[in-house]
Amino acid sequence: MGIAETVAQVKSGAVKADFLFEQKLALIASRYTEIHAFNHVMADEARAAAVAVDEAVARGDDPGPLAGVTVALKDNMCTRGVPTTCSSKILEGWRPPYDGTVVSTLKTSGAIAIGKTNLDEFAMGSSTENSAFGPTRNPLDTNRVPGGSSGGSAASVAAGFSDVALGSDTGGSIRQPAALCGVVGVKPTYGYVSRYGLVAFASSLDQIGPFTTSVADAALMLDVIGGHDPLDSTSIPQAHPSLVDVLGQGVEGLRIGRITDLPEGADPDVQERLEVAFDALRAQGATIVDVQVPAFTFGLTAYYLIAPAEASSNLARYDGVRYGLRVEAADTNAMYGATREAGFGDEVKRRIMLGTYALSAGYYDAYYGKALKVRRLIHDDFDRAYQQADVLLTPTSPSVAFEIGSKGDNPLAMYLCDTYTIPTNLAGHPGMSVPYGTGAHGLPVGVQVLAGTLQEPTMFRVAASLERSLA
Ligand code: GLN
C-alpha cells in the first residue's frame, strides 16, 4: 500500500494511525538488534502523535497530508528534546532545543516520527560501518552493508520498520544506500528542501531527501517537505510544482543521455540492468542520446578536497564546551584536545586532517582553490550535457551490497563507491536511485536518474516510467 492510500484510510477513519504505528513498533522490536537501523526509537512521542491524528479525524479536523505515515529520521536531524547523535560519541547525551524544519513540517503534516536512524559518523562513509554505535545490517542479507551514510534510514524502509524515511546526501548518502537496499532514494536540487536543523557535514553539498518503496511515495514526500524556508538562507525562494501530478506523463519525446566517458568500474551485473533500463525507456518512446560528461572523472578528487575542507570547519564547534561529551584535562586547550581525541572516530579525524591541510595557508590555492575551479568546470560540463539530453542515466553504485568488513581498512575502496553519485552534488543538481531488478547474489541494483537544476518533474517522469516498466 502506498502512503497516499494510508493517508486516505486514516483520514476516512477506516484505519487508526495508532494501530498502524503499533504494528511498526512490533516489527522494529522483532529485528531491533539484528538490523540496528535505529539509534533511538521515539515510542512515546510517536504514540502520542498517532493518537493525536486519530483524535483530529474523530473531531472532523484535517489531520494533514501525511496523516498516519510512519517516518524514520536520520540521526543528524535535530529533534527537540530527543537525542541527536550523528552516530558520534562526541554528541552523546545532547538533546537539541529545537526541531529542524523538515521535522516540524512532518509533524504538522500528520506524519509519525518513529525514531532516529543509524549513520556513518557525521555522515562520512558509504556503509554505515563508521557509526560509533556499531554497523547497520542490510535487511535483505544481514552479512552485508546497507550502504551509507544513511544506512539506517534505507534499512528501515527496506525492512518495513517505517513507511518512509529521511536521509541526507552530501556525495551519495541517500542514493547509494537506496540502491543497496532496493528502495527509492532522492537527492533534490540543492536548496529544494530546508537544511535548517540538519547537522552540517559539508554545507555547500548537503541536501535532505526521502527514502520510499515507490516513486509516487517519494513524490508525495517531496511535495510536502520541499519549498522555501526563511530559516535556511540557501533554500530556494520559490514554491515547487507538484511532483505527484507529473508521474503519469510518461517519457514520450524525452532525450535520455548515455554517458560515453563514464569512469569504468561498475560490475557487469549492474551494467546489464542499466542497459535494460535504456531499452525500457526507448520502448516507451524516449530517445537515447550519447553525451560526454568528463566531470565524472574529476568529481571524486574535487569532492575529497571540498567536503573535508568544509567538514573541518563545521566540526570545529565540537570542543567539549557547547555539546555532548567533555573530557576534563589540566587546562582548556588540553580539554579541547582530549575531548576531540576521545569523541571522534578514525574516519572523522581523517577528514578533519585532510580538510585543515587543504585549507592551510601554504596549500589553500593549490588544493582547495583548485578544487573549487574544478567544481565550476564540472557544473559547466553538466550544463552542456543537459543541452543534449533531458536526463542522464547511470548506475547508482558500482556494485550490489558488499559484505560487512570487506572494505573496512581501505578508505579509497570505500570512496570509489560514490564515483557515480558525487558529481551531481558538486553541480547542485537533483538525482535519484530507482530499484531496477537484481544482480549478483539476487541483490538489488539501482539505476540513477540525473537531471539539471530544478528539473525534478522530468526526473520523476523518467523514474515513474522505469518503475512501470518492471510491473
Ligand atoms: N560517502 C561519501 C562520503 O563519505 C558521501 C557521504 C554523504 O553523502 N554524506 O563523504
Side-chain angles (χ1 to χ4, degrees):
M1 185 165 69
I3 57 174
E5 281 114 300
T6 301
V7 173
Q9 294 200 0
V10 167
K11 279 187 174 179
S12 73
V15 178
K16 292 253 184 289
D18 184 42
F19 170 77
L20 295 174
F21 157 72
E22 294 295 346
Q23 272 189 329
K24 293 297 187 195
L25 200 63
L27 193 58
I28 293 173
S30 71
R31 299 186 80 183
Y32 193 73
T33 43
E34 181 200 0
I35 306 296
H36 186 207
F38 290 93
N39 287 341
H40 179 83
V41 175
M42 297 158 67
D44 295 342
E45 296 90 341
R47 184 173 293 119
V51 169
V53 164
D54 292 331
E55 286 172 355
V57 171
R59 279 196 310 271
D61 293 346
D62 182 359
L66 293 177
V69 173
T70 47
V71 50
L73 303 168
K74 189 176 183 179
D75 200 12
N76 60 353
M77 296 177 194
C78 288
T79 39
R80 185 157 63 93
V82 173
T84 298
T85 68
C86 294
S87 289
S88 179
K89 283 193 219 146
I90 210 151
L91 278 172
E92 234 175 338
W94 182 61
R95 290 170 189 256
Y98 67 102
D99 278 330
T101 295
V102 285
V103 178
S104 47
T105 303
L106 287 173
K107 285 183 180 171
T108 53
S109 304
I112 314 300
I114 202 164
K116 306 296 292 288
T117 59
N118 196 19
L119 62 149
D120 287 297
E121 186 175 3
F122 282 103
M124 298 174 189
S126 306
S127 68
T128 317
E129 292 169 291
N130 293 339
S131 165
F133 312 130
T136 295
R137 291 172 182 275
N138 192 318
L140 305 172
D141 177 346
T142 53
N143 290 319
R144 292 174 189 270
V145 304
S149 63
S150 317
S153 287
S156 177
V157 174
F161 297 153
S162 57
D163 296 318
V164 297
L166 291 186
S168 63
D169 189 313
T170 304
S173 279
I174 294 174
R175 290 161 287 161
Q176 185 256 14
L180 270 46
C181 289
V183 298
V184 175
V186 189
K187 184 210 91 78
T189 298
Y190 184 77
Y192 196 99
V193 176
S194 170
R195 288 184 299 115
Y196 179 73
L198 171 70
V199 178
F201 162 12
S203 314
S204 77
L205 301 162
D206 300 340
Q207 188 53 200
I208 291 174
F211 288 94
T212 60
T213 54
S214 71
V215 174
D217 284 2
L220 178 54
M221 285 299 289
L222 277 178
D223 281 353
V224 172
I225 64 170
H228 182 235
D229 178 11
L231 297 174
D232 172 4
S233 63
T234 62
S235 94
I236 298 169
Q238 67 184 55
H240 306 305
S242 164
L243 298 172
V244 169
D245 288 351
V246 306
L247 297 174
Q249 287 180 7
V251 290
E252 183 87 51
L254 287 185
R255 298 162 306 166
I256 315 289
R258 177 204 297 275
I259 304 175
T260 51
D261 52 354
L262 198 66
E264 284 176 19
D267 289 347
D269 56 325
V270 172
Q271 283 290 353
E272 202 180 300
R273 294 310 301 166
L274 182 65
E275 289 311 318
V276 178
F278 277 118
D279 290 345
L281 293 174
R282 191 186 290 113
Q284 292 185 52
T287 313
I288 313 301
V289 296
D290 283 351
V291 295
Q292 288 192 329
V293 192
F296 275 85
T297 312
F298 305 110
L300 214 61
T301 322
Y303 174 89
Y304 276 98
L305 289 164
I306 293 168
E310 293 187 23
S312 71
S313 162
N314 276 326
L315 271 58
R317 72 191 70 177
Y318 306 109
D319 56 5
V321 177
R322 288 167 286 185
Y323 305 90
L325 183 77
R326 172 192 293 217
V327 178
E328 298 297 347
D331 58 47
T332 311
N333 261 334
M335 184 278 288
Y336 292 157
T339 300
R340 289 167 69 82
E341 167 61 29
F344 288 136
D346 287 349
E347 185 60 30
V348 174
K349 286 177 184 160
R350 184 178 294 122
R351 304 284 178 108
I352 291 173
M353 285 188 278
L354 270 171
T356 26
Y357 185 81
L359 288 175
S360 59
Y363 295 101
Y364 186 98
D365 288 339
Y367 292 114
Y368 183 67
K370 194 145 185 192
L372 289 185
K373 288 180 188 154
V374 172
R375 181 178 191 173
R376 179 79 233 170
L377 295 174
I378 288 172
H379 184 270
D380 295 348
D381 265 358
F382 274 112
D383 273 357
R384 268 190 297 276
Y386 288 127
Q387 284 167 14
Q388 296 165 277
D390 299 297
V391 302
L392 305 172
L393 226 56
T394 76
T396 305
S397 156
S399 74
V400 297
F402 45 92
E403 288 184 355
I404 291 180
S406 61
K407 295 187 204 276
D409 49 7
N410 187 346
L412 194 58
M414 197 68 88
Y415 297 171
L416 286 168
C417 293
D418 303 312
T419 305
Y420 304 129
T421 49
I422 273 176
T424 315
N425 297 75
L426 291 165
H429 292 158
M432 68 191 285
S433 183
V434 182
Y436 209 67
T438 52
H441 314 288
L443 291 163
V445 171
V447 165
Q448 184 177 228
V449 187
L450 301 174
T453 302
L454 291 177
Q455 296 306 305
E456 272 85 352
T458 313
M459 180 174 86
F460 268 82
R461 281 170 63 189
V462 174
S465 297
L466 280 174
E467 185 177 69
R468 272 194 297 273
S469 73
L470 288 180

